[in-house]
Amino acid sequence: MDLGSRFPVPGSRPSDALTRVQKLDLYYWMRLTRSLEERLVALYRQTKVVGGLFRSLGQEADAVGSAYALERRDILSPLIRNLGSMLVKGATPLEILRQYMAKGDSPTRGRELNIHFGDTDRGFIGQISPLGDMVPVMAGVTLTFRMRGQDRVGLVYVGDGATSTGAFHEGINFAAVQRLPLVVVVENNGYAYSTPIEKQTAARQFVDKAIGYGIPGLQADGNDVLAVYDVTKMAVDHARAGGGVTLVELMTYRRKGHAEHDNQSYVPAGEIDRWAAENDPLDRYLVVMREELGATDAEIAAMDARVTAEIDAATDEAEKSPPPLPLDALEGVYANPPAERPLWFRDGADRAVDVNERPEGWGTWQAPRPGSA
Amino acid sequence: MAEITYLEALREGIVEEMARDENVFCMGEDIGAYGGAFKVTDGLLDRFGESRVIDTPISEIAIVGAAAGAGHMGMRPVVEMQFIDFIANAYDMLTNYVATARYRAFLPCPMVVRGPSGGYVRGGPFHSQNPEAGFIHTPGLKVVYPATAEDAKGLMKAAIRDDDCVLFFEHKYLYRRIKAEMPAGDHVVPIGKARVAREGKDVSIITYAATVWKALEAAESLEKEDGLSVEVIDLRTLAPLDDDAIFATVRKTNRVLVLHEDTRTGGIAGEITARINESCFEWLDAPVLRVTAHDIPLPYAPQLEDFVLPQTSDVVRAVRRLAAY
């Protein structure tokens, strides 16, 4: 099947089948993604986020539009810039906040960082940091769908950088050979950490890699949420119909650094500002909403207010969450045995740090001055 | 019941579990139509069909990763590394993804990664390795390495039923060299339990896999020539280690040799020695000694391979040294 010849054909866009409510829904998810990350920045600056913070500023459309093309029963595997995809799939702001703040009732009970978590019931499987690894894993997930005769599709996100890994190649090749119901989304945001795409590949464009695997390749403007939905929906439908794997390249731009600490010194002057001014996915979609959906200012303000209220409530709740219990660290490496025993020198202790610790010796820690709280 | 080989016992274990549980399936390179490089999976394709016996591209990362994904969804994949040497290609997937999945994400990986391992077969540097130590170091993985045909079958069935990833090392030297009659019924050998391969009272040899047979050979001649009573412990499982069995034999004989075919530095003998030191120091009448391979990539020529790998005469020499304390 030649998917390329079907798109774009005026009047036949899959997104035409979306209702007005659904189209406004896309805005809600993008706004929620952006505002939630802004809240995380505030918490990060208050040192309440104990690890790194990863932004998807400018990429909200590619995350939300692609995840929206899946059914409830389908499973996706997100990347670090797919907060929006996870929210669409049912992850809650409260979970995200607890996770970043390393709370004991976070989805991973304080074991993993940031948005590294999943829930197969809601249809998302958490990534790990070695890039590309989720492609083979999602090949196994979709292999199971096929073995069990289930009408389900998998979607896995990789960045431009991950296309250079062995795991990406082996996973997409195996899935292609087996014609598994898998969509591989390459989010081309220009940079892998500091490495620009021209140092990542000699290919003219990432979608060209599809040819080598004998699968269809589609490409779309990743900052146009409806275009993202259209290509992803076509790839998802193709997979569901038994057509096998499709590689989808979404062209977008990473406006923040790899993580919050990254000052982006490697980015040419003016590039970020240009994308922010001319190609912001929310700004662009607001124009579509006003001009094509007749959305009023009041309607938009109400959605924005809803997002703010939800994030405020989730933040209050997350701040109240307890830290993990130290001994929980020893549970659940295996099903059997269910827990490891504390080592003998930790016997009877319920925490690792006590009066014998002299943290000032480590250099970075500031000892509280006598008399201070 | 007729005797079957170690290799046939492995196959019998896989077949019985595939027949018992439709979630069990096999993946690997050349395992279907060809039946596997050593024929462990011979006949499975005919019996269970293409959807449960899957020939894959040469892609160890994809094989292991796909097994994990299928495991998350409730399947119980049994995947083959054509030679266990190639498991190194999937090291990231096993250690970073599979081993951590339950802990960090509550995702089960009930899967078996199996493959022909070990030397004494003139296989050279890439068809003779014993890479188990690299994995016992990783929390979240289980590692078994049977020495007998009964354990080959019983541990295979236990590994397939285990709710976590089990790395199943099969010794290719033993594939067709040893035979046994299988115990009747549903023969499952528990993971994490060592076995006393030979009772003794003077010196203990703690070992596993092919060197169990070297230890037994040495014990036999030491009894005849020196009148020494040597106990041989076959660990069977390397992760988790059976500390109880190790400490019991130390308390019994007070003299311990740890023997393995794997290279010396960072090999499991060092770990066993440390555990004995920490828990049984006062029971020792002699230092714990090791007989292992030299720290050398395994060479091809018989004269070279034999020199690098531990031999029965090395074991005899080491036990005599222990007995002299």
Side-chain angles (χ1 to χ4, degrees):
Chain A
M1 175 179 149
D2 181 7
L3 287 172
S5 65
R6 277 187 21 192
F7 181 81
V9 180
S12 72
R13 297 178 61 173
S15 58
D16 291 342
L18 294 174
T19 64
R20 183 175 185 276
V21 170
Q22 286 175 312
K23 285 183 176 174
L24 293 180
D25 212 22
L26 292 171
Y27 172 78
Y28 164 78
W29 293 117
M30 289 197 288
R31 173 58 68 193
L32 182 62
T33 305
R34 181 166 296 182
S35 298
L36 181 53
E37 288 185 359
E38 285 166 357
R39 176 59 50 86
L40 285 163
V41 171
L43 293 165
Y44 179 81
R45 289 180 181 157
Q46 297 168 46
T47 69
K48 288 175 179 168
V49 169
V50 301
L53 173 59
F54 297 81
R55 299 291 305 278
S56 65
L57 182 67
Q59 295 184 227
E60 296 91 343
D62 89 57
V64 168
S66 51
Y68 210 78
L70 294 172
E71 300 295 327
R72 174 84 179 75
R73 62 188 181 279
D74 298 334
I75 290 187
L76 64 77
S77 175
L79 263 188
I80 198 67
R81 293 181 220 292
N82 293 115
L83 172 60
S85 317
M86 291 171 66
L87 293 169
V88 168
K89 264 298 193 182
T92 67
L94 179 57
E95 287 178 313
I96 305 292
L97 289 161
R98 282 175 172 159
Q99 182 74 7
Y100 263 110
M101 293 162 84
K103 297 294 192 177
D105 53 4
S106 78
T108 65
R109 303 195 338 228
R111 287 148 186 227
E112 252 283 32
L113 309 91
N114 52 61
I115 63 170
H116 285 194
F117 70 94
D119 179 357
T120 43
D121 290 340
R122 281 178 283 177
F124 56 104
I125 289 181
Q127 63 189 303
I128 64 167
S129 300
L131 296 170
D133 282 19
M134 299 313 293
V135 183
V137 172
M138 288 303 293
V141 168
T142 51
L143 179 68
T144 305
F145 292 164
R146 197 189 56 198
M147 289 170 87
R148 293 185 168 167
Q150 294 172 336
D151 177 31
R152 300 170 80 184
V153 169
L155 184 152
V156 60
Y157 294 96
V158 293
D160 38 271
T163 62
S164 306
T165 66
F168 168 82
H169 165 71
E170 291 195 11
I172 196 170
N173 181 61
F174 176 55
V177 168
Q178 288 288 329
R179 292 178 75 85
L180 298 175
L182 181 65
V183 177
V184 179
V185 174
V186 179
E187 293 175 305
N188 176 0
N189 67 8
Y191 295 92
Y193 210 138
S194 73
T195 305
I197 53 174
E198 59 272 20
K199 288 189 178 164
Q200 203 64 247
T201 181
R204 207 165 48 83
Q205 47 188 357
F206 290 100
V207 71
D208 290 349
K209 294 185 182 239
I211 297 167
Y213 297 113
I215 58 175
L218 296 173
Q219 197 181 43
D221 178 349
N223 286 17
D224 174 346
V225 70
L226 292 177
V228 170
Y229 175 84
D230 287 334
V231 283
T232 315
K233 186 72 166 72
M234 290 169 68
V236 167
D237 289 348
H238 181 65
R240 209 182 299 285
V245 184
T246 302
L247 189 154
V248 176
E249 180 182 8
L250 300 176
M251 315 294 288
T252 183
Y253 185 77
R254 196 191 76 195
R255 274 160 49 193
K256 286 295 193 179
H258 171 64
E260 202 61 12
H261 66 269
D262 171 3
N263 67 8
Q264 295 175 283
S265 57
Y266 46 85
V267 178
E271 189 179 274
I272 298 167
D273 293 340
R274 196 166 62 250
W275 278 85
E278 298 168 11
N279 205 341
D280 179 76
L282 274 94
D283 289 349
R284 285 177 62 185
Y285 196 52
L286 280 165
V287 173
V288 173
M289 285 163 60
R290 289 200 172 95
E291 291 181 359
E292 294 175 25
L293 303 176
T296 64
D297 287 348
E299 225 173 351
I300 293 162
M303 280 196 282
D304 291 350
R306 179 186 156 202
V307 163
T308 306
E310 286 174 355
I311 293 171
D312 285 347
T315 307
D316 290 345
E317 193 68 25
E319 298 243 33
K320 281 188 276 184
S321 287
L325 297 172
L327 278 167
D328 187 54
L330 302 183
E331 285 184 15
V333 175
Y334 300 96
N336 180 35
E340 298 298 308
R341 280 196 301 268
L343 295 169
W344 65 269
F345 49 82
R346 197 59 67 62
D347 242 357
D350 63 355
R351 59 186 57 234
V353 179
D354 64 13
V355 293
N356 291 300
E357 206 80 9
R358 292 188 296 116
E360 63 274 21
W362 288 70
T364 55
W365 189 82
Q366 294 290 312
R369 276 190 294 273
S372 69
Chain B
M1 223 178 281
E3 290 191 329
I4 60 173
T5 64
Y6 181 100
L7 184 143
E8 289 162 339
L10 291 164
R11 186 191 300 137
E12 203 168 276
I14 296 169
V15 166
E16 284 184 14
E17 292 307 297
M18 287 184 79
R20 190 184 66 83
D21 181 353
E22 62 177 17
N23 293 312
V24 180
F25 72 100
C26 293
M27 274 193 294
E29 298 153 15
D30 309 295
I31 66 155
Y34 188 67
F38 286 88
K39 304 289 179 193
V40 173
T41 54
D42 200 23
L44 267 62
L45 180 66
D46 287 343
R47 174 150 179 199
F48 297 105
E50 266 191 357
S51 79
R52 292 181 71 193
V53 183
I54 300 171
D55 276 320
T56 68
I58 303 174
S59 298
E60 285 80 13
I61 307 171
I63 294 167
V64 171
H72 296 342
M73 304 310 292
M75 305 300 287
R76 291 186 175 271
V78 179
V79 303
E80 177 173 301
M81 301 287 104
Q82 190 158 83
F83 284 83
I84 208 70
D85 312 57
F86 308 147
I87 200 171
N89 294 319
Y91 187 75
D92 160 64
M93 193 57 82
L94 282 165
T95 57
N96 280 322
Y97 190 84
V98 171
T100 61
R102 180 181 294 281
Y103 186 70
R104 66 177 159 77
F106 313 108
L107 287 168
C109 294
M111 54 192 272
V112 178
V113 180
R114 47 159 291 269
S117 320
Y120 302 105
V121 295
R122 319 318 182 193
F126 307 110
H127 292 73
S128 307
Q129 291 173 19
N130 285 291
E132 60 271 19
F135 298 99
I136 61 163
H137 184 64
T138 304
L141 300 175
K142 295 183 177 180
V143 177
V144 302
Y145 205 159
T148 67
E150 299 96 312
D151 288 346
K153 178 178 176 183
L155 280 170
M156 179 61 75
K157 288 166 70 82
I160 293 171
R161 293 182 196 186
D162 199 276
D163 288 330
D164 291 299
C165 176
V166 179
L167 305 187
F168 199 108
F169 291 77
E170 303 164 358
H171 206 292
K172 68 176 84 69
Y173 182 85
L174 304 179
Y175 268 160
R176 293 183 171 83
R177 282 186 175 84
I178 59 170
K179 280 184 163 191
E181 197 174 300
M182 292 298 111
D186 191 27
H187 172 55
V188 181
V189 172
I191 290 171
K193 293 282 175 228
R195 172 182 76 97
V196 180
R198 178 187 168 105
E199 296 267 4
K201 56 183 176 46
D202 297 328
V203 176
S204 297
I205 302 174
I206 299 173
T207 187
Y208 57 94
T211 46
V212 167
W213 300 97
K214 300 253 179 229
L216 291 170
E217 205 168 57
E220 198 71 27
S221 50
L222 284 158
E223 177 156 29
K224 278 197 201 112
E225 294 168 21
D226 301 48
L228 283 170
S229 165
V230 177
E231 178 146 298
V232 178
I233 304 295
D234 172 6
L235 290 168
R236 305 198 285 192
T237 298
L238 305 181
L241 271 174
D242 187 350
D243 285 344
D244 292 344
I246 293 167
F247 300 156
T249 196
V250 175
R251 292 191 195 104
K252 186 174 176 188
T253 67
N254 316 115
R255 289 173 166 84
V256 183
L257 173 70
V258 190
L259 163 66
H260 62 56
E261 185 188 326
D262 188 10
T263 46
R264 192 169 191 81
T265 305
I268 198 172
E271 175 61 29
I272 292 168
T273 306
R275 290 186 187 205
I276 293 170
N277 171 54
E278 285 178 324
S279 300
C280 298
F281 181 69
E282 61 272 32
W283 290 90
L284 290 172
D285 288 341
V288 178
L289 295 185
R290 291 179 291 172
V291 168
T292 64
H294 293 75
D295 285 338
I296 299 285
L298 206 58
Y300 165 53
Q303 297 77 1
L304 303 180
E305 185 184 35
D306 289 346
F307 195 82
V308 170
L309 290 180
Q311 306 297 342
T312 304
S313 53
D314 304 322
V315 180
V316 169
R317 199 167 299 131
V319 170
R320 283 180 179 151
R321 190 170 144 193
L322 279 169
Y325 271 92

